[in-house]
Amino acid sequence: MSYSKRDEDSGRIGYHHYFDKTTVLQEARVFNESPINARKCRALLTKILYLISLGETFGTTEATELFFSVTKLFQSKDSALRQMVYLVIKELSTVAEDVIMVTSSLMKDMQPTSEVMYRANAIRVLRKITDASMLQGLERFLKAAIVDKNAKVSSAALVSSYHLYGIAKEVVKRWANEAQEAINAKPPSAVSAATSYMTSFGNVPAAYTAVSNSNIVQYHALGLLYAIRQKDRMAVNKLVQAYAARSGMSGSVLRSPFAQCLLVRYACKVMEEDPSSTRAVYELLEGWLRHKSEMVNLEAAKAICEIKDASAKELFPAVTTLQNFLSSGKPSIKFAAIRALNKLAMTKPAAVAPCNIDMENMITDQNRSISTFAITTLLKTGNEASVERLMKQISGFMSEITDESKVLVVEAVGSLCIKFPAKHHVMLSFLSGALRDDGGYDFKRAVVDAIFNFVKYIPESKEAALSHLCEIIEDCEYSKLSVKILHLLGVEGPKCPQPTKYIRYIYNRVILENAVVRGAAVSALAKFGVNVEDEAVKQSVKVLLSRCLDDADDEVRDRATMYLNVIKSGDEKGYVKDDSTYALAYLERQLLAYVSNPEAADAPFDLTSVPKISRQEEQERGAQEQSAVAQSLGGGSISPPASSSNGGAGSRPSATTAPSLDQQAIYAQKLSEVSEFTSFGPLFKSSAKPVELTEAETEYVVSCVKHVFAHHVVFQFNIRNTINDTVLEDVNVLMTAESDDVSLVEVAIIPAPQLAYDVPGTAYVAFERTILEEYPECTFSSVLKFIAKDCDPTSGEPDEEGFEDEYQVEEVSLAIGDFVLPSYIPSFNKGWEDLGAEFEVVETLALTASPGIQEACNDIIALLGMQALENSGAVQGSNVHTMVLSGIFIGGIRVLARCRMTYDSSTGVTLQLAIRSANEEVSQVLIGAIA
């Protein structure tokens, strides 16, 4: 029988199709035959590996019996069979039992007198079956193998040591000298290299010693050495400095380009952890740009491009190197260079612009991955005059690239529309044409999202973009996209001059689509009936909705019935116009606290204490997460245009006082696990992000999070010990208020029991508010008090005796904004009118500390702890601005603020602040936070 691959003409198939696990287990008797038939055993071992590669699982008993049957083949001297034995043993060792019994055979093969092939493979297999308790006995053999003159043996020992480091750190740490010796070993001679080449062909006289001329040992040794020292910042710094000296020159210690690339990455990590070393590391990276290996040049150029806040002058050498690689004859080099430039163009397109001519030549490259990156980079760096030409070139090869590449192109076009809004007609036509091409859901969704950005950021393109979306839903195979488009039509369609032209497209979905899309179409129709002032349109929508009352799906009927009643009654604000939703994470936490407290069952659940968020806020949060993922993967994201103002608004980040609600839920869960805090009740608010109380380079890194309860305030101190070979025990934080008349009494100090090196810990200090009508503003001085113990550098065990020590950190402040929870409301004007002017307080103030209106907005948000509504927190380049804020004061009191600001270069920012709430005292307190 011929065991060839499938032959379409003869109908024969490969021999791997003729067996299964049962057949293989039955044939395993061949391992017990004497003498051993090497050819049969090799064939059977191949079948076993083939089954394992297909995902076939062996039971514990089956694997154990098979494992020990295979070990009998150690008697054979056939080198090819022995290699297969090592492979099968390594695969079965994770399932079989008592695999440790084969250790003696492997130890025998590890001896220096054994053949080189046996030694390297035996080390790799031994690593799979070794645990921490056995490693002490193998230490001598592995240390000798690391410094072995043969590269195969040394690499096998180094890689095995790297994997063993996870289960026996302290043992492997003792091998640092051997790893360093392997790095510094001199290269073998050419005669040795030729001998190694000859040994690969089979039997070689014993007088020859197989030595490889490969420098891969340095790569493995450097990786192991870094793993051993990575927790010691100073040791890593010395490692980089030692091997970076004379790098790439004749006589350099590191001859392997792989090891050089590792060193580049380690140098970047040093720069990230120690910003003061940025200049020195940059000089090293610039030197590596002139290395003789293209691989090292690329790694160094990518590292320079990823330096935060790098100037155009600093980026120039890296961009020049990458530009030279664009004309390389190797596709892999060209691809790596254009991808690095593409990533840089996302943040600094001006730095990549000099490469435009070279990238235009790559648009027609035969490798479509290269041409895709070239065109997407040009879309980021090109000028307005080249947009039409680029669009024509893109259209020519869109049908020839993969969906993943199409998504990259579409996202780049979406970003370009924000940069050059005047060219929106050309880009909309391109996106519309792209939808006619074949493609999966991700591609179609990317196109729809790009068109959504036209609607959102380019008002003059809104009607054209909506018309394209209407055409899309006429022939859309994905219900999710249809629902998304229908929702946007319902929101934006009524605002257009001729809203009726969209109603026909929406009602067609009610007739022709599935139940999910029909339900979305009914909701979109209802928004036209509510938001369009024309009575004729309202009447038409009522007629269309009444036709949906006989729909086959119950949800469609229910929606139509509800919306008809809403339109007739006029009570549309709570059902159609209210675009808010409750913060689900916060709501869940409040409900859990309510049902777990028997005393709270007498009163109804207070839903007003749960903050609301807008759907836009939800979408922005999701977009931020997607953008973070895209940036980590090297992809792009579509972002809105940056707002600007006179006075350098872009110089400060936008202020936020609202923590992630998911993060606050995590805080609440952790605090509920502390027995001293269980009587405090539900958590009202946690600070948005930890306040850093020390520099990142100090020996103890401390940050503080403030948690506010109804009657208590808890300060959470996150502490990290950065001193190697030192353990801190009983770590307390002593807080002292600067003022004696503060209505706060310390009720609990909870220390961090132990802080090992680079392991974060948490300490708490809790205060009770003795006068609930007062909302204390004060500053606390904070001191860490602890017992420091030195550790044995070999075993890591701390000494029995320690010494008391203390460490001063920055002050912690408690402000009025900490007692206000940011809260969203759908309509500020309605809420402002509902609160009334009875408890309104108005003050006019001069904000001399704020250099511009945007900075003033950020400062006001931070001081009041409230949420900016209606996108009023972003200033659109005017000297007059109004910002509206909303929040919930502790106790569930709704608070609204209106801030009218004017800017003059001579007098600065003048603020008229009006605050309304249901309590006059609360309004006065909040005014006092600014005044």
Side-chain angles (χ1 to χ4, degrees), residues 509-795:
R509 300 308 97 211
V510 177
I511 301 172
L512 302 174
E513 290 287 357
N514 56 51
V516 174
V517 179
R518 294 202 304 272
V522 168
S523 298
L525 283 174
K527 290 178 181 177
F528 279 84
V530 168
N531 295 315
V532 177
E533 299 297 333
D534 191 345
E535 288 297 327
V537 175
K538 289 181 181 288
Q539 189 60 35
S540 299
V541 170
K542 289 180 185 178
V543 172
L544 295 178
L545 289 176
S546 62
R547 294 178 184 176
C548 301
L549 296 176
D550 297 327
D551 194 274
D553 186 77
D554 56 348
E555 182 175 348
V556 177
R557 294 195 303 271
D558 291 347
R559 287 193 184 197
T561 303
M562 183 192 73
Y563 288 129
L564 275 172
N565 290 332
V566 166
I567 294 173
K568 291 176 182 177
S569 64
D571 185 21
E572 69 276 357
K573 290 188 177 179
Y575 297 95
V576 181
K577 292 186 177 180
D578 187 356
D579 197 31
S580 63
T581 181
Y582 287 105
L584 296 181
Y586 196 96
L587 176 61
E588 180 187 15
R589 179 158 48 83
Q590 295 287 73
L591 287 172
L592 286 173
Y594 179 76
V595 298
S596 61
N597 185 6
E599 299 178 358
D602 298 334
F605 179 74
D606 184 14
L607 197 59
T608 59
S609 63
V610 180
K612 287 186 175 183
I613 58 175
S614 65
R615 299 195 184 276
Q616 181 183 359
E617 193 175 343
E618 277 188 327
Q619 292 172 359
E620 289 175 354
R621 188 174 300 168
Q624 289 173 358
E625 293 174 358
Q626 290 179 0
S627 177
V629 173
Q631 293 293 342
S632 67
L633 296 175
S637 61
I638 301 172
S639 58
S643 61
S644 61
S645 68
N646 54 349
S651 61
R652 292 190 187 182
S654 339
T656 176
T657 60
S660 164
L661 293 168
D662 294 336
Q663 180 62 49
Q664 188 159 338
I666 295 172
Y667 284 144
Q669 178 65 31
K670 289 183 178 179
L671 292 170
S672 65
E673 295 171 358
V674 180
S675 58
E676 288 84 351
F677 302 156
T678 52
S679 61
F680 290 2
L683 176 63
F684 174 71
K685 179 188 177 181
S686 297
S687 50
K689 50 187 176 181
V691 179
E692 301 296 334
L693 303 182
T694 60
E695 298 292 336
E697 296 80 19
T698 55
E699 54 266 47
Y700 309 119
V701 180
V702 185
S703 61
C704 179
V705 181
K706 292 171 280 188
H707 306 288
V708 178
F709 294 82
H711 300 163
H712 298 81
V713 179
V714 175
F715 295 89
Q716 171 185 323
F717 293 91
N718 303 317
I719 311 168
R720 183 164 58 89
N721 170 25
T722 62
I723 300 180
N724 197 11
D725 299 331
T726 301
V727 171
L728 309 183
E729 294 184 353
D730 195 26
V731 184
N732 289 277
V733 181
L734 303 183
M735 300 181 67
T736 306
E738 290 187 349
S739 176
D740 295 333
D741 57 350
V742 177
S743 57
L744 290 173
V745 175
E746 187 176 274
V747 293
I749 298 179
I750 301 173
Q754 187 182 70
L755 290 178
Y757 168 68
D758 208 33
V759 177
T762 305
Y764 297 96
V765 180
F767 291 88
E768 182 178 4
R769 292 166 51 213
T770 54
I771 304 175
L772 299 182
E773 292 76 18
E774 293 184 4
Y775 307 98
E777 291 183 272
C778 57
T779 301
F780 296 87
S781 60
S782 304
V783 179
L784 298 184
K785 298 203 72 172
F786 50 84
I787 298 174
K789 294 184 177 181
D790 294 329
C791 296
D792 187 335
T794 303
S795 63

Side-chain angles (χ1 to χ4, degrees), residues 155-292:
S155 284
L158 287 165
V159 173
S160 299
S161 303
Y162 187 86
H163 290 289
L164 289 170
Y165 184 74
I167 62 174
K169 287 185 173 63
E170 298 305 323
V171 177
V172 178
K173 278 182 179 179
R174 298 199 289 265
W175 306 348
N177 291 335
E178 283 73 19
Q180 194 157 0
E181 186 177 342
I183 297 176
N184 299 330
K186 294 182 178 180
S189 65
V191 175
S192 300
T195 305
S196 173
Y197 178 75
M198 292 173 61
T199 58
S200 63
F201 289 100
N203 297 326
V204 177
Y208 290 97
T209 303
V211 180
S212 171
N213 66 337
S214 171
N215 293 315
I216 198 67
V217 172
Q218 291 188 325
Y219 171 70
H220 294 146
L222 188 61
L224 176 62
L225 200 58
Y226 176 77
I228 293 173
R229 298 180 177 179
Q230 61 182 335
K231 298 296 184 182
D232 189 344
R233 188 185 302 171
M234 188 63 68
V236 173
N237 201 348
K238 289 180 180 178
L239 176 71
V240 172
Q241 290 177 356
Y243 291 112
R246 300 177 63 194
S247 180
M249 303 179 187
S250 59
S252 173
V253 174
L254 291 182
R255 300 173 300 279
S256 169
F258 296 103
Q260 290 279 5
C261 290
L262 267 187
L263 195 64
V264 172
R265 296 181 182 182
Y266 298 156
C268 292
K269 289 183 179 179
V270 169
M271 182 172 58
E272 289 175 7
E273 295 176 357
D274 183 11
S276 63
S277 66
T278 301
R279 187 71 243 168
V281 173
Y282 174 80
E283 291 175 358
L284 291 176
L285 294 175
E286 192 176 10
W288 277 315
L289 291 175
R290 298 182 290 274
H291 194 275
K292 60 184 178 181

Side-chain angles (χ1 to χ4, degrees), residues 5-213:
K5 292 183 178 180
R6 179 181 292 276
D7 188 330
E8 296 295 341
D9 297 328
S10 63
R12 295 179 299 179
I13 57 178
Y15 99 113
H16 289 307
H17 292 269
Y18 289 100
F19 61 85
D20 55 16
K21 184 175 76 171
T22 305
T23 305
V24 169
L25 292 175
Q26 290 175 352
E27 292 178 0
R29 294 191 298 270
V30 72
F31 299 145
N32 300 321
E33 293 179 358
S34 183
I36 295 173
N37 188 325
R39 188 183 65 82
K40 285 186 178 180
C41 292
R42 283 201 306 269
L44 185 56
L45 291 174
T46 303
K47 294 178 182 180
I48 295 171
L49 290 172
Y50 177 73
L51 290 174
I52 293 174
S53 69
L54 292 180
E56 187 71 60
T57 56
F58 290 86
T60 303
T61 304
E62 294 172 340
T64 303
E65 292 177 357
L66 193 58
F67 181 88
F68 286 104
S69 297
V70 172
T71 57
K72 296 177 182 178
L73 302 179
F74 275 108
Q75 304 170 35
S76 174
K77 299 299 182 182
D78 186 276
S79 59
L81 176 61
R82 184 68 69 88
Q83 289 189 38
M84 297 297 294
V85 168
Y86 289 128
L87 288 174
V88 173
I89 286 179
K90 192 165 67 169
E91 296 295 334
L92 293 177
S93 62
T94 57
V95 185
E97 294 179 340
D98 301 324
V99 295
I100 198 172
M101 295 177 65
V102 79
T103 303
S104 58
S105 299
L106 296 174
M107 294 282 288
K108 181 180 177 183
D109 286 349
M110 285 174 56
Q111 299 300 322
T113 56
S114 300
E115 292 186 31
V116 171
M117 180 196 68
Y118 293 172
R119 294 175 64 194
N121 287 327
I123 291 170
R124 289 189 174 93
V125 176
L126 194 61
R127 190 268 303 176
K128 293 283 286 187
I129 66 173
T130 299
D131 56 20
S133 60
M134 294 175 53
L135 197 56
Q136 296 277 2
L138 301 174
E139 184 176 4
R140 179 171 60 89
F141 295 97
L142 289 173
K143 288 172 72 173
I146 288 174
V147 295
D148 196 276
K149 293 183 179 180
N150 186 276
K152 298 182 180 68
V153 177
S154 181
S155 284
L158 287 165
V159 173
S160 299
S161 303
Y162 187 86
H163 290 289
L164 289 170
Y165 184 74
I167 62 174
K169 287 185 173 63
E170 298 305 323
V171 177
V172 178
K173 278 182 179 179
R174 298 199 289 265
W175 306 348
N177 291 335
E178 283 73 19
Q180 194 157 0
E181 186 177 342
I183 297 176
N184 299 330
K186 294 182 178 180
S189 65
V191 175
S192 300
T195 305
S196 173
Y197 178 75
M198 292 173 61
T199 58
S200 63
F201 289 100
N203 297 326
V204 177
Y208 290 97
T209 303
V211 180
S212 171
N213 66 337

